[in-house]
Each structure stands twice: as structure tokens, then as C-alpha cells.
Amino acid sequence: MTEANRSPAARIAQSFARQGLMTTFGASIALPEPGLCEITLPYCPAVTQQHGFVHAGAIAAVLDSACGYAALSVMPDDTGVLTVEFKINLMAPAKGRTFLARGRVLRAGRTLLVTQGECFADGSDRPLALITATIMSLPASRGLAD
Amino acid sequence: MTEANRSPAARIAQSFARQGLMTTFGASIALPEPGLCEITLPYCPAVTQQHGFVHAGAIAAVLDSACGYAALSVMPDDTGVLTVEFKINLMAPAKGRTFLARGRVLRAGRTLLVTQGECFADGSDRPLALITATIMSLPASRGLAD
Amino acid sequence: MTEANRSPAARIAQSFARQGLMTTFGASIALPEPGLCEITLPYCPAVTQQHGFVHAGAIAAVLDSACGYAALSVMPDDTGVLTVEFKINLMAPAKGRTFLARGRVLRAGRTLLVTQGECFADGSDRPLALITATIMSLPASRGLAD
Amino acid sequence: MTEANRSPAARIAQSFARQGLMTTFGASIALPEPGLCEITLPYCPAVTQQHGFVHAGAIAAVLDSACGYAALSVMPDDTGVLTVEFKINLMAPAKGRTFLARGRVLRAGRTLLVTQGECFADGSDRPLALITATIMSLPASRGLAD
């Protein structure tokens, strides 16, 4: 299969596999539908903060990746994504064995995509963290296609 | 030395050493003065995103820790810190060999502290990322003293 | 009716009536259920920006009030609310005749409440703006009960 | 003077004069230097919240305008500005007679400009509110030149 005719799922799986940080975290990715992305983060001591919870930065990382790939899943194949900014509210300590970060596209403009996401612990339906992220679509000519 | 008469610097060094994520990152901490905290993150493939830059989540993690410890450095010894929310603007790709995340306290209230910070690559004075973080002071009775 | 036995709706109506800015805007309020608040803003030239759309600050104002009163609607009667911080994404120009700002409580802690909201023009179901706001609950002893 | 050869200051003064909301607020604008903008808001009951302080939305509005015009002051003459998103921390009640909102450009990219600002009451040097705003530069062809 050439780069040009990859499915969106294959393209995102390849890009995700190049994220060293996600490999370090042992995270995995799923794309239930276009515009939606789920990343699973297992607890391990390598991602903790001082009280033994998962570090807010690790939660931010999986939420940011989930939002970025949700955006990429609705973009043309020869474009790349870059996070412009994000905002996170941490509503409860990140305590648990498995964390699900879900990101989705709310509005897809020509240049900017607005995404939102939540992070859940151990199958709970009450989010422990929320993200709103602005993602920029980069033309392939910038040399950063995903 | 008992817990009770630690200096702020010793207390923060001990708390930082318990952050598994910072150990994973090979990050180090300095406290130039009360209300100011600097964390250094060396580049390594384990913290990258798909284009080989440092992942926004890793930048967020060191900025969040820098803001949290800047806050802790001006708080009573028997309190703990928790990040309520933060917002990050990523102004340039995190490209370089060494990243300096600097956090400082802007306003210290009874319950909430407002902090800001920047991240710089390789000694540059132009920040590549900005953070504004709201930190909550937790009384020791919550069992989360730092 | 004394202050002490007001219904939440009456209490919020009284507080809203004291917001000079909402009177200036000709805005009105509704409380469909606890934890949910809707504010309606009619278009008028007094609230515009330079292109004739409604100013982002006016949209922010009604979204902030909607989130604050959503929070107040689930809080004890002798407390007051104060906005700690908010973040707004403006996804489309605020073009229309009537704007609906809806705020709801996502998480109600002892001290802080996390709220989210959207703003819609002319009955559309696609939001033109999003807010995430952190609201602080103030004990009556601070003299700011609502 | 034609539109084409206006000075940046004249262009911004004309755009500001078209902001109905700023007229409603009795606000005035100054441009001390390129990339910096100051807006003055006098206290009046028409801009208050329920405790008699200035409403966070009014503070947001002057901070947003200050950031937008700071951005416009460094952009080509045939472009327009649109706020993509902003985040505000309210660190103290907006209590006073005169409020100064200062916005400045931190990073000017081709498409996006990152700005920051503070709001001060009555000549104080301690900000009561902080903003970080992302501003988009629109080509004249979109019909929204300022």
C-alpha cells in the first residue's frame, strides 16, 4: 500500500506509532468513527505525580493526542496537524488502572479545527478531566504531513 | 531532619523526586527564589510526537510541574498542591536539545494560586509555549501534603 | 418572602436583575432545571464589534452569567458565586437576531464547580461559541451571598 | 485620506469607533507602540455584575479588544482580525473607578497571533485579570478588513 491510498485509520495508526511519548506510555489508539478518537493509557509508576496519581501532564498528553487524531481523521490525506492551544480542567485525581481519553471534532474549518475531549478512569462515565483544543491543519507543502 | 523543619527547597526536591513522570523524562528542578521554579527537560526520543518534536503533552507536563512547585514554594509547609486547570499556547514546534520550563506565582490567594510560565529551547529567550495554571492549596488534613 | 426561604429560581432572578450589564444588554434568564441556565441576548447595535457581529466580549458575558447561575442553582442558599477563570472558543461569527447562551454544571465540588456552555444563534443547533468556566463557591461570611 | 494610506493608528481608531459595545461602555483606546494596545473602561452601573463590581464579561470585552487591536497594529493594512479563542483568569474583584486593559503581541505568525494582556484598576500595578488570546489574520478577500 502506498502512502497515497492509505485509509484514514492506517494513516493515523502509522502517525501514532511514531509518537515516542505514546510508546513510552504504553498507550493504544482506536478510531470508532471519523472525527472521534480514543486513546487508552494504562497506569504505571512511570507516569505518576507525587501523590501516586497519574500526572496531569500525562493526562494532557493522551487528551491532546486524542484531539489531534480526531482532527486528522476528517482532514485530507496530504495534510498534517499541529496543536495551537489547549485548555484542561482536572476535576478529580487521576486514580485508577486504565484511563480512556476520548477526543472529538466539534467544528472543522479550513485552517482550524475545534475539538473537545474527556478522560475517564476504569470505565467510569464521570470524566476526571476535560480538554478543549484548537488544532491547525498544515498543507503538505510545510513538510509535516502525517 | 524531620518533615516538619524541611526547607521549602528540600520539601520540593523530595516531592519532585516522587513524580515518576519527571524521572521518566530525566527532568531536573531548580528553585531560584520563592515563587519561581525551573524544570529542565532534555530531548530524547521517548518524549516525541510524530514529527520528532517534543510532544505538547511533555511540554505541558514540565510547565505544569514548574507552576505547581512555584506555588508550593510560597505555601505553608503542611499543605499540598493540586492543579485545577491549565491552558497552554504552543507558539513554535518544540525543537531542540534542552527545554527550560519556568513557572512563577502571579497571585497567591488563600485557596487558589494563579501561576504563569514559559518554555524555552536551547537557551533562546523567545518562548515556544506559554501556560497559565490555577493551583489549589490543600490543607494537610486531606492527606495530600507535599 | 424572606431571603432565607426563596426558591433557587427566585434567588437567581433577583441576582440576575442586579447585573447592570445584563440589563444593558436586554438579556433575559431561564432555569429549565437545577444545574442548567439559559440566557437570551437580542442583537442590537450596542453590543457589536467592528464588522457588525456581536462582540466576543458580549458573548463571553452571557456565557459567563449562564455558567455562574447554573452553578448557583445547585449551591446552598447562603453562598455566593465568583468566576475564577473561563476559556472561550469562538467558532463562527456571532451573526443573528437572537443568541441563546446555555450553561450547565459538569462537576460540583465543595469549593469549585466546573461548568460548560455553548452559544447558539437564531435557534441553530450548531454552537458558535463554547465556554468552560471554573466557578468558586463563597461562604456567606464573605459578604457576597447572591 | 484614502483607506489605503491610513496610518495603523488611524485605521485602528476607525475600527474601534465601529465597535458598538465599546461605545456603549464609554471606552477609549490608545496605541503606545506597535504591538501594544490600551483600552480604558470607566466604571458605570451599566457594566456591573450582581455585587456591584464590573462584570467579568465587560472585563473580557475590553481585554479582547485590546488584544485584537494589538494584533491589528502589526498586520498588513488590508487584513482583518478575528478572535479564535481566549482564556481569562479573574484574580480579584473588578472594583474601582477606571480600568486599564493592556494587550500585547507575543508571537506573530502568518495566520495566527498569540497575545496576552492584563487589566488594572485605578492605576494599580497588580493586575486583577489576565488574558491569553489567539487572534487570526484574515485576508482582505474575506471581506472583513479592518
Side-chain angles (χ1 to χ4, degrees), chain A residues 15 18-21 24-25 45-46 48-51 55-57 61 64-65 81 83-88 90 144 146, chain B residues 15 18-21 24 45-46 48-51 55-57 61 64-65 81 83-88 90 144 146:
Chain A
S15 180
R18 289 197 302 270
Q19 292 204 331
L21 187 63
T24 302
F25 285 176
T48 53
Q49 42 85 285
Q50 73 275 19
H51 308 124
H55 197 288
D64 172 43
S65 280
V81 284
T83 303
V84 169
E85 59 85 31
F86 63 80
K87 192 257 202 250
I88 287 192
L90 302 151
L144 293 176
D146 280 296
Chain B
S15 179
R18 287 197 302 270
Q19 291 204 331
L21 188 64
T24 302
T48 53
Q49 42 85 284
Q50 72 275 22
H51 308 123
H55 196 289
D64 172 43
S65 280
V81 285
T83 303
V84 169
E85 59 86 29
F86 63 80
K87 194 256 201 250
I88 286 192
L90 303 151
L144 293 178
D146 281 295

Side-chain angles (χ1 to χ4, degrees), chain A residues 65-123:
Chain A
S65 280
C67 287
Y69 287 119
L72 191 60
S73 74
V74 298
M75 285 163 46
D77 196 57
D78 60 348
T79 46
V81 284
L82 211 61
T83 303
V84 169
E85 59 85 31
F86 63 80
K87 192 257 202 250
I88 287 192
N89 277 66
L90 302 151
M91 299 188 295
K95 208 173 172 172
R97 285 178 302 175
T98 309
F99 299 88
L100 177 69
R102 183 180 291 140
R104 65 187 171 285
V105 175
L106 289 191
R107 189 104 178 189
R110 260 177 296 193
T111 310
L112 297 179
L113 297 96
V114 179
T115 60
Q116 274 196 330
E118 294 92 30
C119 185
F120 304 91
D122 294 337

Side-chain angles (χ1 to χ4, degrees), chain A residues 21 25 57-58 61, chain B residues 21-22 25 41 47-48 54-63:
Chain A
L21 187 63
F25 285 176
Chain B
L21 188 64
M22 293 298 119
F25 284 177
L41 171 72
V47 299
T48 53
V54 175
H55 196 289
I59 298 295
V62 287
L63 281 169

Side-chain angles (χ1 to χ4, degrees), chain C residues 15 18-21 24-25 45-46 48-51 55-57 61 64-65 81 83-88 90 144 146, chain D residues 15 18-21 24 45-46 48-51 55-57 61 64-65 81 83-88 90 144 146:
Chain C
S15 180
R18 288 196 303 269
Q19 292 204 331
L21 187 64
T24 301
F25 284 177
T48 54
Q49 43 84 287
Q50 73 275 20
H51 307 125
H55 196 289
D64 172 44
S65 280
V81 284
T83 303
V84 168
E85 60 85 32
F86 63 80
K87 193 257 202 249
I88 287 191
L90 303 151
L144 293 177
D146 280 295
Chain D
S15 180
R18 288 197 302 270
Q19 292 203 331
L21 187 64
T24 301
T48 53
Q49 42 84 283
Q50 72 276 22
H51 309 123
H55 196 288
D64 172 44
S65 280
V81 284
T83 303
V84 168
E85 59 86 30
F86 62 80
K87 193 255 201 247
I88 286 192
L90 302 151
L144 293 177
D146 281 295

